Amino acid sequence: MKRIAALILLASMTAKAMAMQPFTISDIRVDGLQRIAAGTVYSYLPVAKGDTLTEANAKQSIKALFNTGFFSDVELERQGDILVIKVVERPSIAKLNIRGNKAIKTDDLKKGLKQIGLTEGDTFDPLALSRVQDELITQYYNRGKYNVSVKTHVTHLDRNRVSLDIVVREGKTARIKAINIVGNTTFSDKQIRDNFESDTSNWLSWYTKDDQYSKEKLSGDLKKLDSYYMNRGYADFNINSTQVMISPNKRKMYITANIKQGEVYKISDVHLLGNLVLPEKTIRKLVFMQKGDTFNRYLVEQSKKAIKNVLSNIGYAFAEVQVVPKLDKKNRTADMTFYIKPGKRVYVRRINFQGNTKTQDSVLRREMRQPEGAWYSQAAIDASKRRLQTLGYFKDDVKVDTQRVPGTDDEVDLNVKVEEKSSGSLMFGVGYSQYSGVILSASVSQNNFLGSGDKFSVAVQHSSYYSQIQLGYVNPYLTDDGVSIGYNATYSKLDYGNTDFANYTNSTRSFSTTVGVPVSEVDRLQFGLGLTSNKINLFPGFSPQELVDYQNLIGNKTVHSWTGTIGYSRDTRNYYWAPTTGGVESLSINAALPGSTVQFWKAFYHGNHYWPVGGGFVLLLDGEVGYGKTYGKDKKYGFPFWENYYAGGVRDVRGFQDNTLGPRAYVPAYGYSQPVGGAFKVKGTAQVFLPIPALKDVSTARVAAFVDVGNVYKDYNSFNAKDLRASYGLSLQWQAPIGPLVISFAVPFRDQPQDRRYEERLQFTFGNQF
C-alpha cells in the first residue's frame, strides 16, 4: 500500500509540474493559506526569486511542501513570470478527547500520542488514525489488558479544524494463572519468586494487583531472577528463553522461563588495575570479596559503587570502574579484575539554582556543603541535597545535575532544581478532636518568611477547655555558620472544670529566647532563657485534695519561674514530611532557676528512626522518656502538679482518651478518680507504614499499622512495667484541604478495669499540625 501511495503521489507531482516550461521567477505567490504563514512556505521551497524554474526543481518544490505534512494538495502555476503555489491546508487538531480509560491516565496516553505526532494544535493527518490505535493498544497490552478496543471519530469544525474523539474500552486485565521456572534444581519456586512483583492470584491480590500481567513487571522479575542466582555464586547463569501464553478468551496468562542454572563459582583471585589514585591497600578495603569467597554479583556491584564513591569524594566526578570476571569452568572459579579509570579530577565552577521563585538564592546556598571553586565531592553534594530536602520548602526530591563546562575537562557546574511549595499559611478554621471538642483557630505562619528562610508565626486557638495566643520568630542563620536565635511569647488559659481531668484552672504567660549552635551536619545544641507566670485556681471539694494541699504548702496561687534550657537534637531524616530513612533525636533539660517560686527541673528525651523494609513498607520505631523533680530548698514540696506529664490520645498511646493514663486522684464530689498526671513518663511505638499503590506522593497521605505502649507514673520510683498500657491498630495521616487529619482505630490489649471509662476505639483530629 505504501508503494502504491508513493507512485500515485509521484504521478500527481509529475503531472502538476510537467506542463510548466522553464522560466525565470520574478515573484512567488502562495494561494490557499489559512493558518500557516507565507514565510513558512518560502522557508521550505528549494527555489527563490531570480531562480529559473525547471521541471526538476518544480518536482522538488512540490515534494518539499508535501513533506512538511501541512498540506493535503499542492499545485504550481505560472502567471507571466510569477510562480503561483496553490495549497490546500490539512486541518488542525482543535480538540483531542479520550474517554473510557481508567487503568492509564489521560495524560500518560496523550504522551504516547505526542510521540507519534498527534497532539492538540498539530496538523491532522488522516493516515495517523491507524497509528493512534496501534499506539494506545500497545500501551494497554503492556499493562496486560488484551481485550482493549480503541475507536476513533473525527468531527470537522469551522476554520479548517477537527475534533478527534478516542473511545477506549479497556476490558479486564489478564491475570496470571501460572509462573513456571524450568531448569532450577537447587531452590524452590517459592524461594526464587519471593521478591517478584508478578504472582498468581492470592488472597492479597485485590490490594497488591500482583496477579495482573504487565510486560514491565515481567521484565523486572526476570532481572530479579538473574540476580537471585548471580548473587548466590552461579556466575554462568542464563535465562535461555521466556514464553508468555494467553488463553483464547485473553483473560489468563501463563509464563514460563527456561533457565540454565550452571554451577557455583568461588573467587580465585582479585586484581586491581589502572590508575588507582589512592594506595592499593585503601582500595582493597572497598572490595567486599576475597579469595575463596563464593561469587556474588551484588558484592561486585557494591564494590564498584564504593570505589567510585570514594574517588568522587576527592574530585573524580566521572570515575569509571569496570569489572571483568574470568571464569574457569573446569575448576569453577572466577578470577576478578577491577579496572579503575578515575578520569580527570574536576572542581565545581558554579552552582546554579532553578525553580526557587520565592526563596532567595542565599537561603539555598547556605545549605550547600559543596562550595564553588572547590574539588567536586559527591558526599558533600549528597549532604547538601539532604539539607535542602529537610527544609520543608520544596515538593518531592531536590535534583542535582552535574554538567561539564564546555571547552574544559576539569570543571563542572551543579544545577540544583527545586519545586517550591507553600511554606506558609493564613488559616481561619474549625477543627475537631473527640476530647477537646470543637477547636476554633486562626493563624498566620510562614516557614520561609519573604524567601529569607526565617520562620514567623502568630496563632490563636480556642477549645472547650484550652485557649492560647502564641507568637514566634526564628532566624536559623543569625551567623553564617548556622547559629540560630528564636523568640516565643505565649498566653494560655486552661480550664479543666468541664473535663475528666483534675478540676482547676491555669493561666500562663511566658516569654523565652533560644539560641541554637550547630555541632555537626546533623547535630545541634540549644540554650534558652525564659520567664513564666502561672496563676492557678483550685476549687476545694471539687479539686483533688492532694492538689489543694500542694498549693497551700507553697502558699502561692501565682507561680513565677525563671527558666533555663539546655537541649541537644540530631536530625538524619531524608525528607521533612514523609521520611523513609534516618530519624530525629532530641534531649532537653528545662529548669526553674533559683529565685523561682518552686525550683524544679525536667528532662525529656524523644527519639525515632525510619527503616525501609522492602516493597514500599517503612518501619518506624519511636520512644519517649520524661522525668521531673524538685531540687534545693524545694525538695520538700515534691514535683509541681501543673508541670506533670500526661499520656494517652491520638498522638500518644492510642485507644485511650487524651491525657487520661497514669495516676488518678479520687474526688468525692464526682464519685470517681480524675487523671492528675505524673513526674515520670515512658512511651514507645512500633509502626509500619503501608504502601498505597495508587498514591505516588506519600507526603500527602500515609497509612500505618501500629503498636503503642506507655504510661505515666507519679515518680521514677513508682515505675512498674506491669502498669504499662498498650494498644494496636491502624492510623491514617492525611494532609487534607481542610487541614492535617489524623484518624486512628486502636484496640487496647493491655489495660485495667479502671481504664474502661477512658477507652475509645476510633480517634481523630483535624485542623492542627501533626
Side-chain angles (χ1 to χ4, degrees), residues 154-195:
V154 179
T155 303
H156 291 273
L157 307 174
D158 58 349
R159 292 181 285 128
N160 198 26
R161 300 176 304 150
V162 296
S163 173
L164 180 58
D165 293 297
I166 302 172
V167 179
V168 179
R169 291 185 178 178
E170 294 181 337
K172 293 187 176 181
T173 303
R175 300 190 180 275
I176 301 170
K177 292 301 177 183
I179 300 177
N180 299 310
I181 301 173
V182 180
N184 57 309
T185 59
T186 305
F187 306 105
S188 68
D189 281 4
K190 184 179 184 302
Q191 287 176 298
I192 294 172
R193 290 165 42 191
D194 188 49
N195 291 322

CSV table of all heavy atoms in Angstrom, one decimal, residues 154-195:
chain,number,residue,atom,x,y,z
A,154,VAL,N,-13.7,11.4,13.9
A,154,VAL,CA,-13.3,12.8,13.5
A,154,VAL,C,-14.5,13.6,13.2
A,154,VAL,O,-15.3,13.3,12.4
A,154,VAL,CB,-12.3,12.7,12.3
A,154,VAL,CG1,-11.9,14.1,11.9
A,154,VAL,CG2,-11.1,11.8,12.6
A,155,THR,N,-14.5,14.8,13.9
A,155,THR,CA,-15.6,15.8,13.7
A,155,THR,C,-15.0,17.0,13.1
A,155,THR,O,-14.0,17.6,13.7
A,155,THR,CB,-16.3,16.1,15.0
A,155,THR,OG1,-16.8,14.9,15.6
A,155,THR,CG2,-17.5,17.1,14.7
A,156,HIS,N,-15.4,17.4,11.9
A,156,HIS,CA,-14.9,18.6,11.2
A,156,HIS,C,-15.6,19.9,11.8
A,156,HIS,O,-16.8,20.0,11.9
A,156,HIS,CB,-15.2,18.5,9.7
A,156,HIS,CG,-14.3,17.5,9.1
A,156,HIS,ND1,-13.0,17.7,8.6
A,156,HIS,CD2,-14.6,16.2,8.8
A,156,HIS,CE1,-12.5,16.6,8.1
A,156,HIS,NE2,-13.5,15.6,8.2
A,157,LEU,N,-14.7,20.8,12.2
A,157,LEU,CA,-15.2,22.1,12.8
A,157,LEU,C,-14.9,23.2,11.8
A,157,LEU,O,-14.3,23.0,10.7
A,157,LEU,CB,-14.4,22.3,14.1
A,157,LEU,CG,-14.5,21.2,15.1
A,157,LEU,CD1,-13.6,21.5,16.3
A,157,LEU,CD2,-15.9,20.9,15.6
A,158,ASP,N,-15.4,24.4,12.2
A,158,ASP,CA,-15.1,25.6,11.3
A,158,ASP,C,-13.7,26.0,11.3
A,158,ASP,O,-12.9,25.5,12.1
A,158,ASP,CB,-16.0,26.8,11.8
A,158,ASP,CG,-15.7,27.1,13.3
A,158,ASP,OD1,-15.0,26.3,13.9
A,158,ASP,OD2,-16.2,28.2,13.7
A,159,ARG,N,-13.3,26.8,10.4
A,159,ARG,CA,-11.9,27.3,10.3
A,159,ARG,C,-10.9,26.2,10.1
A,159,ARG,O,-9.8,26.2,10.7
A,159,ARG,CB,-11.6,28.2,11.5
A,159,ARG,CG,-12.4,29.5,11.5
A,159,ARG,CD,-12.0,30.4,12.7
A,159,ARG,NE,-12.5,29.9,14.0
A,159,ARG,CZ,-11.8,29.7,15.1
A,159,ARG,NH1,-10.5,30.0,15.1
A,159,ARG,NH2,-12.4,29.2,16.1
A,160,ASN,N,-11.3,25.2,9.3
A,160,ASN,CA,-10.4,24.1,8.9
A,160,ASN,C,-9.8,23.4,10.2
A,160,ASN,O,-8.6,23.2,10.2
A,160,ASN,CB,-9.3,24.6,8.0
A,160,ASN,CG,-8.6,23.5,7.2
A,160,ASN,OD1,-9.2,22.5,7.0
A,160,ASN,ND2,-7.4,23.7,6.8
A,161,ARG,N,-10.7,23.1,11.1
A,161,ARG,CA,-10.2,22.4,12.3
A,161,ARG,C,-11.0,21.1,12.5
A,161,ARG,O,-12.1,20.9,11.9
A,161,ARG,CB,-10.4,23.2,13.6
A,161,ARG,CG,-9.7,24.6,13.5
A,161,ARG,CD,-10.0,25.4,14.7
A,161,ARG,NE,-11.4,25.6,14.9
A,161,ARG,CZ,-12.1,25.8,16.0
A,161,ARG,NH1,-11.4,25.7,17.2
A,161,ARG,NH2,-13.4,26.0,16.0
A,162,VAL,N,-10.5,20.2,13.3
A,162,VAL,CA,-11.2,18.9,13.6
A,162,VAL,C,-11.1,18.6,15.1
A,162,VAL,O,-10.2,19.1,15.8
A,162,VAL,CB,-10.6,17.7,12.8
A,162,VAL,CG1,-10.7,17.9,11.3
A,162,VAL,CG2,-9.1,17.5,13.2
A,163,SER,N,-12.1,17.9,15.5
A,163,SER,CA,-12.1,17.4,16.9
A,163,SER,C,-11.9,15.9,16.8
A,163,SER,O,-12.7,15.2,16.1
A,163,SER,CB,-13.4,17.7,17.6
A,163,SER,OG,-13.4,17.1,18.8
A,164,LEU,N,-10.9,15.3,17.5
A,164,LEU,CA,-10.7,13.9,17.4
A,164,LEU,C,-11.1,13.3,18.7
A,164,LEU,O,-10.6,13.6,19.8
A,164,LEU,CB,-9.2,13.7,17.2
A,164,LEU,CG,-8.7,12.2,17.1
A,164,LEU,CD1,-9.4,11.5,16.0
A,164,LEU,CD2,-7.2,12.1,16.9
A,165,ASP,N,-12.1,12.4,18.6
A,165,ASP,CA,-12.6,11.7,19.8
A,165,ASP,C,-12.1,10.2,19.8
A,165,ASP,O,-12.3,9.5,18.8
A,165,ASP,CB,-14.1,11.7,19.8
A,165,ASP,CG,-14.6,13.1,20.1
A,165,ASP,OD1,-14.4,13.7,21.1
A,165,ASP,OD2,-15.3,13.6,19.1
A,166,ILE,N,-11.5,9.8,20.9
A,166,ILE,CA,-11.0,8.4,21.0
A,166,ILE,C,-11.7,7.8,22.1
A,166,ILE,O,-11.7,8.2,23.3
A,166,ILE,CB,-9.5,8.4,21.3
A,166,ILE,CG1,-8.7,9.2,20.2
A,166,ILE,CG2,-9.0,7.0,21.4
A,166,ILE,CD1,-7.3,9.4,20.5
A,167,VAL,N,-12.4,6.7,21.8
A,167,VAL,CA,-13.2,5.9,22.8
A,167,VAL,C,-12.4,4.6,23.1
A,167,VAL,O,-12.2,3.8,22.2
A,167,VAL,CB,-14.6,5.7,22.3
A,167,VAL,CG1,-15.4,4.9,23.4
A,167,VAL,CG2,-15.3,7.0,22.0
A,168,VAL,N,-12.1,4.4,24.4
A,168,VAL,CA,-11.4,3.2,24.8
A,168,VAL,C,-12.3,2.3,25.6
A,168,VAL,O,-13.0,2.8,26.5
A,168,VAL,CB,-10.2,3.6,25.7
A,168,VAL,CG1,-9.4,2.4,26.1
A,168,VAL,CG2,-9.2,4.5,24.9
A,169,ARG,N,-12.3,1.1,25.2
A,169,ARG,CA,-12.9,0.0,26.1
A,169,ARG,C,-11.8,-0.9,26.5
A,169,ARG,O,-11.3,-1.7,25.8
A,169,ARG,CB,-14.0,-0.7,25.2
A,169,ARG,CG,-15.2,0.1,24.9
A,169,ARG,CD,-16.3,-0.7,24.2
A,169,ARG,NE,-17.4,0.2,23.8
A,169,ARG,CZ,-18.5,-0.3,23.2
A,169,ARG,NH1,-18.5,-1.6,22.8
A,169,ARG,NH2,-19.5,0.5,23.0
A,170,GLU,N,-11.5,-0.7,27.8
A,170,GLU,CA,-10.3,-1.4,28.3
A,170,GLU,C,-10.5,-2.9,28.5
A,170,GLU,O,-9.5,-3.6,28.3
A,170,GLU,CB,-10.0,-0.8,29.7
A,170,GLU,CG,-9.5,0.7,29.6
A,170,GLU,CD,-9.1,1.2,31.0
A,170,GLU,OE1,-9.6,0.7,32.0
A,170,GLU,OE2,-8.4,2.2,31.0
A,171,GLY,N,-11.6,-3.4,28.8
A,171,GLY,CA,-11.8,-4.8,29.1
A,171,GLY,C,-11.1,-5.1,30.4
A,171,GLY,O,-10.5,-4.3,31.1
A,172,LYS,N,-11.1,-6.4,30.8
A,172,LYS,CA,-10.5,-6.8,32.0
A,172,LYS,C,-9.0,-7.2,31.8
A,172,LYS,O,-8.7,-7.7,30.8
A,172,LYS,CB,-11.3,-8.0,32.6
A,172,LYS,CG,-12.7,-7.6,33.1
A,172,LYS,CD,-13.4,-8.7,33.8
A,172,LYS,CE,-14.8,-8.2,34.3
A,172,LYS,NZ,-15.5,-9.3,35.0
A,173,THR,N,-8.3,-7.0,32.9
A,173,THR,CA,-6.8,-7.3,32.8
A,173,THR,C,-6.6,-8.8,32.8
A,173,THR,O,-7.3,-9.5,33.6
A,173,THR,CB,-6.1,-6.7,34.0
A,173,THR,OG1,-6.3,-5.3,34.0
A,173,THR,CG2,-4.6,-7.0,33.9
A,174,ALA,N,-5.7,-9.3,32.0
A,174,ALA,CA,-5.4,-10.7,32.0
A,174,ALA,C,-4.7,-11.0,33.3
A,174,ALA,O,-3.8,-10.3,33.7
A,174,ALA,CB,-4.5,-11.0,30.8
A,175,ARG,N,-5.1,-12.1,34.0
A,175,ARG,CA,-4.5,-12.5,35.2
A,175,ARG,C,-3.6,-13.7,35.1
A,175,ARG,O,-3.8,-14.6,34.3
A,175,ARG,CB,-5.6,-12.7,36.3
A,175,ARG,CG,-6.4,-11.5,36.5
A,175,ARG,CD,-7.4,-11.6,37.7
A,175,ARG,NE,-8.2,-10.4,37.8
A,175,ARG,CZ,-7.8,-9.4,38.5
A,175,ARG,NH1,-6.6,-9.4,39.1
A,175,ARG,NH2,-8.6,-8.3,38.6
A,176,ILE,N,-2.5,-13.7,35.9
A,176,ILE,CA,-1.5,-14.7,35.8
A,176,ILE,C,-2.0,-16.0,36.5
A,176,ILE,O,-2.4,-15.9,37.7
A,176,ILE,CB,-0.2,-14.2,36.5
A,176,ILE,CG1,0.3,-13.0,35.8
A,176,ILE,CG2,0.8,-15.3,36.4
A,176,ILE,CD1,1.5,-12.3,36.5
A,177,LYS,N,-2.1,-17.1,35.8
A,177,LYS,CA,-2.5,-18.3,36.4
A,177,LYS,C,-1.4,-19.3,36.7
A,177,LYS,O,-1.6,-20.2,37.5
A,177,LYS,CB,-3.5,-19.0,35.4
A,177,LYS,CG,-4.8,-18.2,35.2
A,177,LYS,CD,-5.5,-18.1,36.6
A,177,LYS,CE,-6.8,-17.3,36.5
A,177,LYS,NZ,-7.4,-17.1,37.8
A,178,ALA,N,-0.3,-19.1,36.0
A,178,ALA,CA,0.9,-19.9,36.3
A,178,ALA,C,2.2,-19.2,36.0
A,178,ALA,O,2.3,-18.5,35.0
A,178,ALA,CB,0.8,-21.3,35.6
A,179,ILE,N,3.2,-19.4,36.8
A,179,ILE,CA,4.6,-19.0,36.6
A,179,ILE,C,5.5,-20.2,36.7
A,179,ILE,O,5.6,-20.7,37.9
A,179,ILE,CB,5.0,-17.8,37.5
A,179,ILE,CG1,4.1,-16.6,37.4
A,179,ILE,CG2,6.4,-17.4,37.2
A,179,ILE,CD1,4.4,-15.5,38.3
A,180,ASN,N,6.1,-20.7,35.7
A,180,ASN,CA,6.9,-21.8,35.7
A,180,ASN,C,8.3,-21.5,35.4
A,180,ASN,O,8.6,-20.8,34.4
A,180,ASN,CB,6.4,-22.9,34.7
A,180,ASN,CG,5.0,-23.3,35.0
A,180,ASN,OD1,4.7,-23.7,36.1
A,180,ASN,ND2,4.1,-23.3,34.0
A,181,ILE,N,9.2,-21.9,36.3
A,181,ILE,CA,10.7,-21.7,36.0
A,181,ILE,C,11.3,-23.1,35.8
A,181,ILE,O,11.4,-23.9,36.7
A,181,ILE,CB,11.3,-21.0,37.2
A,181,ILE,CG1,10.6,-19.6,37.5
A,181,ILE,CG2,12.8,-20.8,37.0
A,181,ILE,CD1,11.1,-18.9,38.7
A,182,VAL,N,11.7,-23.4,34.6
A,182,VAL,CA,12.1,-24.7,34.2
A,182,VAL,C,13.7,-24.7,34.2
A,182,VAL,O,14.3,-23.8,33.6
A,182,VAL,CB,11.6,-25.0,32.8
A,182,VAL,CG1,12.1,-26.4,32.4
A,182,VAL,CG2,10.1,-25.0,32.7
A,183,GLY,N,14.2,-25.6,35.0
A,183,GLY,CA,15.7,-25.7,35.0
A,183,GLY,C,16.3,-25.5,36.4
A,183,GLY,O,17.5,-25.7,36.6
A,184,ASN,N,15.5,-25.0,37.3
A,184,ASN,CA,16.0,-24.8,38.7
A,184,ASN,C,16.0,-26.1,39.5
A,184,ASN,O,14.9,-26.6,39.7
A,184,ASN,CB,15.2,-23.7,39.4
A,184,ASN,CG,13.7,-24.0,39.5
A,184,ASN,OD1,13.1,-24.3,38.5
A,184,ASN,ND2,13.2,-23.9,40.7
A,185,THR,N,17.1,-26.5,39.9
A,185,THR,CA,17.2,-27.8,40.6
A,185,THR,C,17.6,-27.6,42.1
A,185,THR,O,17.6,-28.6,42.8
A,185,THR,CB,18.2,-28.7,39.9
A,185,THR,OG1,19.5,-28.1,39.9
A,185,THR,CG2,17.8,-29.1,38.5
A,186,THR,N,18.0,-26.4,42.4
A,186,THR,CA,18.6,-26.2,43.8
A,186,THR,C,17.6,-25.5,44.7
A,186,THR,O,17.4,-25.8,45.9
A,186,THR,CB,19.8,-25.3,43.7
A,186,THR,OG1,20.8,-26.0,42.8
A,186,THR,CG2,20.5,-25.2,45.1
A,187,PHE,N,16.9,-24.5,44.2
A,187,PHE,CA,16.0,-23.7,45.0
A,187,PHE,C,14.5,-24.0,44.7
A,187,PHE,O,14.2,-24.4,43.5
A,187,PHE,CB,16.3,-22.2,44.8
A,187,PHE,CG,17.7,-21.8,45.0
A,187,PHE,CD1,18.5,-21.5,43.9
A,187,PHE,CD2,18.2,-21.7,46.3
A,187,PHE,CE1,19.8,-21.2,44.1
A,187,PHE,CE2,19.6,-21.4,46.5
A,187,PHE,CZ,20.4,-21.1,45.4
A,188,SER,N,13.6,-23.7,45.6
A,188,SER,CA,12.2,-23.9,45.4
A,188,SER,C,11.7,-22.7,44.6
A,188,SER,O,12.3,-21.6,44.7
A,188,SER,CB,11.4,-24.1,46.7
A,188,SER,OG,11.5,-22.9,47.4
A,189,ASP,N,10.6,-22.9,43.9
A,189,ASP,CA,10.0,-21.8,43.2
A,189,ASP,C,9.6,-20.7,44.2
A,189,ASP,O,9.7,-19.5,43.8
A,189,ASP,CB,8.7,-22.2,42.5
A,189,ASP,CG,9.0,-23.0,41.2
A,189,ASP,OD1,10.2,-23.1,40.9
A,189,ASP,OD2,8.1,-23.3,40.4
A,190,LYS,N,9.2,-21.0,45.4
A,190,LYS,CA,8.8,-20.0,46.4
A,190,LYS,C,10.0,-19.1,46.7
A,190,LYS,O,9.9,-17.9,46.9
A,190,LYS,CB,8.2,-20.7,47.6
A,190,LYS,CG,7.7,-19.7,48.6
A,190,LYS,CD,7.1,-20.4,49.8
A,190,LYS,CE,6.5,-19.4,50.8
A,190,LYS,NZ,7.5,-18.4,51.3
A,191,GLN,N,11.2,-19.8,46.9
A,191,GLN,CA,12.4,-19.0,47.3
A,191,GLN,C,12.7,-18.0,46.1
A,191,GLN,O,13.0,-16.9,46.3
A,191,GLN,CB,13.5,-19.9,47.5
A,191,GLN,CG,13.5,-20.7,48.8
A,191,GLN,CD,14.6,-21.7,48.9
A,191,GLN,OE1,14.7,-22.6,48.1
A,191,GLN,NE2,15.4,-21.5,49.9
A,192,ILE,N,12.7,-18.5,44.9
A,192,ILE,CA,13.1,-17.7,43.8
A,192,ILE,C,12.2,-16.6,43.5
A,192,ILE,O,12.6,-15.5,43.2
A,192,ILE,CB,13.2,-18.6,42.5
A,192,ILE,CG1,14.3,-19.7,42.7
A,192,ILE,CG2,13.4,-17.8,41.3
A,192,ILE,CD1,14.3,-20.7,41.6
A,193,ARG,N,10.9,-16.8,43.7
A,193,ARG,CA,9.9,-15.8,43.3
A,193,ARG,C,9.5,-14.9,44.5
A,193,ARG,O,8.5,-14.1,44.4
A,193,ARG,CB,8.6,-16.5,42.8
A,193,ARG,CG,8.8,-17.1,41.4
A,193,ARG,CD,7.7,-18.1,41.0
A,193,ARG,NE,6.4,-17.6,41.4
A,193,ARG,CZ,5.3,-18.3,41.4
A,193,ARG,NH1,5.4,-19.6,41.0
A,193,ARG,NH2,4.1,-17.8,41.7
A,194,ASP,N,10.2,-15.0,45.6
A,194,ASP,CA,9.8,-14.3,46.8
A,194,ASP,C,9.7,-12.8,46.6
A,194,ASP,O,8.8,-12.1,47.2
A,194,ASP,CB,10.8,-14.6,48.0
A,194,ASP,CG,10.3,-14.1,49.3
A,194,ASP,OD1,9.2,-14.3,49.6
A,194,ASP,OD2,11.1,-13.4,50.0
A,195,ASN,N,10.6,-12.2,45.8
A,195,ASN,CA,10.6,-10.8,45.6
A,195,ASN,C,10.0,-10.4,44.2
A,195,ASN,O,10.2,-9.2,43.9
A,195,ASN,CB,12.1,-10.3,45.7
A,195,ASN,CG,12.6,-10.3,47.1
A,195,ASN,OD1,11.9,-10.1,48.0
A,195,ASN,ND2,13.9,-10.7,47.2
